[in-house]
């Protein structure tokens, strides 16, 4: 039978078609904390099976860009009950959105077309890999008959071997499934999704365009088999020895401290870290990329430990400690400000996701971080000395000086009013640049979320991530702080936010260039063409949806704008362009730029 006839018989269901899937849903949790939705629906085709598996692991929105090799697959995603297909303006932003979505929901997904779409997406997937985010990256691939045919296809680099995309994704995903036959499709889909959840990393699934609508017995299970997710366990003897050694070191210290890092999330150890802090009474800090992972209203929280860029008196408290426990911290050159941290490394216990490393001593593994922290909590004696010392030396921040009437807006004044605006039903997304440092100084209310991408530091990441985070958490109002240079990298999907009716508040800090690069190494290349940003957003709005824009140049205008955004325009996407001086930067950025420049300019050995 010709394929066209098969397609006609197997026309994918549509949201307004005659076939409406009816399902009985049950929920439970898999090992990584992602909600699993069990379905009694009987999927018949590859497209239906994959869509239902995505819903099962907790994906309600999948970010996409259509292309000729994924169109039939998209039909199934559109039709799937419980799955919303979000069309994006670019593959890069679709990937960024899946990244932001996974941060809030626990898993994300995106779908693009072969090679030309995949290679546009790959930068975002690399960033998600660096952040240990589970993403299901789906690519519509060539017709299965083309594999091994020695033909040259469009959307490739013009060679008969069209495996370039796969080879690229092998470096930024933990598993790759190339599905060009139906016999292995169900197994490959399940394996990829299991690996994604198990390792908390992106996976790559390539599906030949002629397979999505074809039924196969393996897709016709009345009830899905459970995903095979390996349960990690601690070595009990190693756990006991690690706890014993840690308790001995910490209980004999005079002023021990705790520092939480970004790996708390992937280790599912945030709750265990809080439990330990509750019982031991140590002063508690976080590394910059872990901001928001520990409640800042905790009675012993002292701020962000970032070397010379630390919160006031936090760095001193950590670095004079005679013992410390770093849980989930990583030590790249940005987190360490050019490897300049001065904590006592010979007195620091480093707790990784599945290993405990002692200074000048042994390592114990596999020992899961959450198991170690909970067991250690039962052995530590309360010791508030470091926190008491911190309170003695701490001097409250005075805040920026009062603006004169009509005075040009300063960045520190802008963030003073962002601080006043924050509430527990908000989340802050911080873009690379000076926003990093100003946002670190924000005091987050209880339940206020916070996200940044520090290690990969892809300029422009935050706008797409805001789209995804807001879609994953519609009850939160997302506050994006982004510079004009970063905004110019990937602005298009602000229009997608408008189409979805999102209520984000975007502060566009317009200082005419790449300010973070200026402070590392200045040159004419750091100056950008100024845009009429509010007019651009109005053009995207095009009288469709709820949107409000304004441009502010003084503190008085800023106060009125925030009152409007949180009052009359509470249900709108609010875009506030703040005009500031090109050289108006935080003192932290000046220090950071100087240290990073020194690191970059070291002579060859």
């Amino acid at each position: 039978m010709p394929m066209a006839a098969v397609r006609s018989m197997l026309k994918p269901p549509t949201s307004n078609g005659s076939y409406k899937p009816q399902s009985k849903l049950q929920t439970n949790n898999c090992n990584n904390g992602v909600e699993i939705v069990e379905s009694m629906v009987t999927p018949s085709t590859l497209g239906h099976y994959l869509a239902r598996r995505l819903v099962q692991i907790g994906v309600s929105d999948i970010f996409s860009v259509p292309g000729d090799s994924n169109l039939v697959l998209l039909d199934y995603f559109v039709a799937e009950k419980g799955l919303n297909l979000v069309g994006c303006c670019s593959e890069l932003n679709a990937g960024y959105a899946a990244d932001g979505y996974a941060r809030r929901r626990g898993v994300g997904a995106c779908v693009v077309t072969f090679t030309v779409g995949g290679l546009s997406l790959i930068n975002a997937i690399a960033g998600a890999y660096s952040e240990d985010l589970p993403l299901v990256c789906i690519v519509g691939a060539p017709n299965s008959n083309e594999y091994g045919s020695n033909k040259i296809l469009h959307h490739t680099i013009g060679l008969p071997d069209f495996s370039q995309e796969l080879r690229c994704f092998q470096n930024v995903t933990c598993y790759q499934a190339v599905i060009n036959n139906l016999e292995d499709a169900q197994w490959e889909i399940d394996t990829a999704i299991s690996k994604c959840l198990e390792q908390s990393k992106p996976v790559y699934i390539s599906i030949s365009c002629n397979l999505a609508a074809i039924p196969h017995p393996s897709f016709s299970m009345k009830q899905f088999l459970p995903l095979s997710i390996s349960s990690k366990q601690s070595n009990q003897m190693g756990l006991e020895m690690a706890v014993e050694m840690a308790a001995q070191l910490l209980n004999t210290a005079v002023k021990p401290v705790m520092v939480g890092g970004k790996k708390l999330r992937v280790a599912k150890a945030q709750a265990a870290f809080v439990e330990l802090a509750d019982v031991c009474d140590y002063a508690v800090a976080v590394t910059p990329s872990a901001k928001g992972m520990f409640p800042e209203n905790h009675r012993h929280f002292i701020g962000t430990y970032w070397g010379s860029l630390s919160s006031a008196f936090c760095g001193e408290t950590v670095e004079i400690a005679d013992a410390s426990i770093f849980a989930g911290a990583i030590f790249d050159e940005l987190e360490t400000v050019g490897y300049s941290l001065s904590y006592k490394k010979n007195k620091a216990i480093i707790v990784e996701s599945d290993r405990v490393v002692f200074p000048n001593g042994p390592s114990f593994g596999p020992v899961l971080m959450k198991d170690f922290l909970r067991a250690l909590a039962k052995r530590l004696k309360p010791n508030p000395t470091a926190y008491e010392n911190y309170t003695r030396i701490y001097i409250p921040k005075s805040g920026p000086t009062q603006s004169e009437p009509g005075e040009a807006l300063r960045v520190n004044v802008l963030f003073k009013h962002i601080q006043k605006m924050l509430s527990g039903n908000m989340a802050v997304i911080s873009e690379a640049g000076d926003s990093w440092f100003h946002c670190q100084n924000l005091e987050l209310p209880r339940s206020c979320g916070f996200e940044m991408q520090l290690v990969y530091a892809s300029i422009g990441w935050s706008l797409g991530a805001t789209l995804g985070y807001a879609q994953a958490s519609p009850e939160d109002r997302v506050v994006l702080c982004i510079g004009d240079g970063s905004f110019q990298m990937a602005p298009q999907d602000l229009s997608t936010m408008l189409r979805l009716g999102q209520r984000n508040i975007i502060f566009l800090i317009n200082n005419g260039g790449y300010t973070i690069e200026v402070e590392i190494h200045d040159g004419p290349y750091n100056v950008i063409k100024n845009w009429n940003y509010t007019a651009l957003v109005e053009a995207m709005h095009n009288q469709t949806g709820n949107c409000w824009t304004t441009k502010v140049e003084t503190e008085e205008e800023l106060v009125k704008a925030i009152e409007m955004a949180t009052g009359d325009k509470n249900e709108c996407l609010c875009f506030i362009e703040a005009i500031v001086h090109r050289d108006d930067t935080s003192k932290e950025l000046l220090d950071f730029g100087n240290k990073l420049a020194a690191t970059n300019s070291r002579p060859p050995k």
Side-chain angles (χ1 to χ4, degrees):
M1 180 179 293
M3 183 57 67
V6 173
R7 285 271 170 81
S8 177
M9 293 172 61
L10 302 173
K11 183 179 179 181
T14 59
S15 56
N16 59 356
S18 58
Y19 173 64
K20 296 182 180 179
Q22 302 294 320
S23 62
K24 178 181 179 181
L25 302 179
Q26 302 170 337
T27 63
N28 57 54
N29 291 319
C30 71
N31 292 338
N32 77 334
V34 174
E35 185 179 82
I36 298 293
V37 182
E38 297 293 351
S39 171
M40 302 300 289
V41 173
T42 304
S44 59
T45 64
L46 188 158
H48 192 179
Y49 183 83
L50 177 57
R52 179 50 53 187
R53 270 301 197 199
L54 291 174
V55 172
Q56 183 198 28
I57 64 171
V59 173
S60 301
D61 301 86
I62 181 168
F63 301 92
S64 68
V65 176
D68 57 340
S69 62
N70 69 11
L71 297 177
V72 175
L73 189 59
L74 295 186
D75 286 337
Y76 283 95
F77 293 161
V78 168
E80 186 60 39
K81 184 177 181 180
L83 187 62
N84 178 38
L85 186 70
V86 178
C88 295
C89 300
S90 74
E91 291 88 358
L92 179 61
N93 272 337
Y96 287 156
D99 172 312
Y101 191 92
R103 289 166 183 265
R104 186 65 176 85
R105 188 65 67 88
V107 63
C110 53
V111 54
V112 299
T113 198
F114 179 66
T115 303
V116 69
L119 297 188
S120 292
L121 171 70
I122 199 167
N123 181 61
I125 301 304
Y129 190 96
S130 76
E131 294 285 315
D132 299 303
L133 297 173
L135 298 189
V136 182
C137 173
I138 303 163
V139 175
N143 186 291
S144 61
N145 296 298
E146 307 298 354
Y147 285 85
S149 67
N150 208 37
K151 294 178 180 177
I152 295 176
L153 304 180
H154 73 292
H155 288 340
T156 69
I157 62 172
L159 297 177
D161 170 17
F162 43 87
S163 62
Q164 300 90 13
E165 179 185 81
L166 169 63
R167 295 199 300 273
C168 291
F169 272 93
Q170 285 172 339
N171 295 291
V172 295
T173 56
C174 69
Y175 187 83
Q176 306 82 40
V178 177
I179 299 175
N180 53 23
N181 70 84
L182 291 174
E183 298 300 321
D184 301 325
Q186 178 261 332
W187 169 259
E188 286 287 1
I189 288 170
D190 285 2
T191 302
I193 292 175
S194 296
K195 293 292 185 184
C196 177
L197 300 178
E198 181 183 306
Q199 299 186 30
S200 196
K201 293 284 190 184
V203 294
Y204 167 87
I205 302 177
S206 170
I207 299 176
S208 290
C209 60
N210 60 325
L211 300 184
I214 301 178
H216 188 270
S218 63
F219 306 135
S220 299
M221 295 176 289
K222 291 185 178 180
Q223 185 171 358
F224 282 165
L225 296 174
L227 290 169
S228 179
I229 302 174
S230 298
S231 178
K232 297 179 181 178
Q233 294 183 334
S234 295
N235 178 294
Q236 194 60 35
M237 181 177 292
L239 173 61
E240 292 171 2
M241 294 175 67
V243 170
E244 178 67 29
M245 185 173 290
Q248 183 176 357
L249 174 63
L250 294 167
N251 283 334
T252 56
V254 177
K255 43 185 181 295
V257 299
M258 293 172 57
V259 182
K262 63 179 283 187
K263 296 283 187 177
L264 284 170
R265 173 157 50 197
V266 68
K268 307 294 184 293
Q270 290 169 250
F273 188 76
V274 174
E275 291 170 17
L276 178 60
D278 286 340
V279 300
C280 73
D281 289 341
Y282 295 177
V284 184
V286 294
T287 60
S289 57
K291 184 177 177 67
M293 295 185 187
F294 184 83
E296 297 192 359
N297 63 335
H298 191 278
R299 67 184 190 278
H300 284 171
F301 180 69
I302 63 173
T304 299
Y305 176 56
W306 202 357
S308 60
L309 312 180
S310 299
S311 304
F313 307 102
C314 176
E316 294 85 345
T317 302
V318 172
E319 292 179 351
I320 65 171
D322 58 342
S324 58
I325 177 168
F326 282 76
I330 63 171
F331 301 98
D332 64 272
E333 95 278 22
L334 295 190
E335 294 264 0
T336 61
V337 198
Y339 308 108
S340 65
L341 299 187
S342 299
Y343 69 94
K344 294 178 176 61
K345 297 178 178 60
N346 63 337
K347 296 290 185 178
I349 302 168
I350 308 299
V351 187
E352 300 174 359
S353 297
D354 58 1
R355 186 172 70 135
V356 181
V357 181
F358 285 87
N360 305 314
S363 300
F364 296 94
V367 172
L368 300 187
M369 186 188 298
K370 59 184 177 182
D371 292 345
F372 173 76
L373 296 177
R374 287 201 168 108
L376 184 61
K378 299 175 182 178
R379 297 289 306 278
L380 291 187
K381 301 173 184 177
N383 185 346
T385 305
Y387 183 74
E388 290 171 352
N389 287 347
Y390 166 79
T391 59
R392 290 188 189 99
I393 64 174
Y394 179 76
I395 300 174
K397 292 182 294 185
S398 60
T401 57
Q402 185 69 33
S403 298
E404 297 294 332
E407 180 186 345
L409 183 64
R410 287 176 274 123
V411 178
N412 54 21
V413 171
L414 167 64
F415 278 89
K416 177 184 74 173
H417 289 286
I418 292 175
Q419 174 70 76
K420 291 179 179 179
M421 180 191 72
L422 293 182
S423 65
N425 62 349
M426 290 181 171
V428 177
I429 308 290
S430 176
E431 173 58 55
D434 203 19
S435 291
W436 276 348
F437 309 104
H438 285 287
C439 286
Q440 283 295 326
N441 290 324
L442 294 173
E443 296 176 3
L444 302 178
R446 183 178 182 84
S447 302
C448 181
F450 183 89
E451 297 294 343
M452 66 186 296
Q453 186 195 68
L454 187 60
V455 178
Y456 197 63
S458 183
I459 295 176
W461 156 86
S462 65
L463 189 132
T466 296
L467 164 65
Y469 192 102
Q471 199 63 14
S473 185
E475 67 276 11
D476 292 330
R477 196 160 193 204
V478 184
V479 178
L480 168 60
C481 300
I482 184 171
D484 51 342
S486 296
F487 184 81
Q488 288 194 12
M489 287 282 185
Q492 309 97 311
D493 277 281
L494 196 148
S495 72
T496 307
M497 296 179 188
L498 291 167
R499 180 159 51 87
L500 294 169
Q502 293 186 354
R503 304 183 302 119
N504 311 322
I505 302 175
I506 299 173
F507 290 95
L508 187 285
I509 305 168
N510 184 349
N511 57 12
Y514 299 118
T515 303
I516 191 169
E517 313 293 0
V518 168
E519 303 308 331
I520 297 172
H521 183 95
D522 201 4
Y525 31 77
N526 291 326
V527 179
I528 62 175
K529 171 71 173 66
N530 194 34
W531 293 358
N532 187 338
Y533 294 98
T534 53
L536 175 66
V537 175
E538 288 292 350
M540 293 182 183
H541 176 214
N542 198 23
Q543 308 305 312
T544 304
N546 293 324
C547 179
W548 179 74
T549 68
T550 189
K551 188 177 298 187
V552 299
E553 300 186 52
T554 66
E555 183 173 10
E556 297 93 331
E557 292 172 350
L558 173 66
V559 170
K560 291 179 181 177
I562 290 177
E563 288 175 351
M564 185 69 73
T566 56
D568 291 347
K569 303 299 181 181
N570 186 58
E571 296 303 315
C572 295
L573 187 146
C574 296
F575 184 89
I576 301 173
E577 179 184 354
I579 309 297
V580 298
H581 193 277
R582 181 175 186 268
D583 294 324
D584 184 358
T585 66
S586 64
K587 68 178 183 64
E588 291 88 355
L589 175 55
L590 298 176
D591 189 356
F592 176 86
N594 186 47
K595 283 188 168 61
L596 199 60
T599 299
N600 291 346
S601 61
R602 288 172 297 169
K605 293 182 180 179

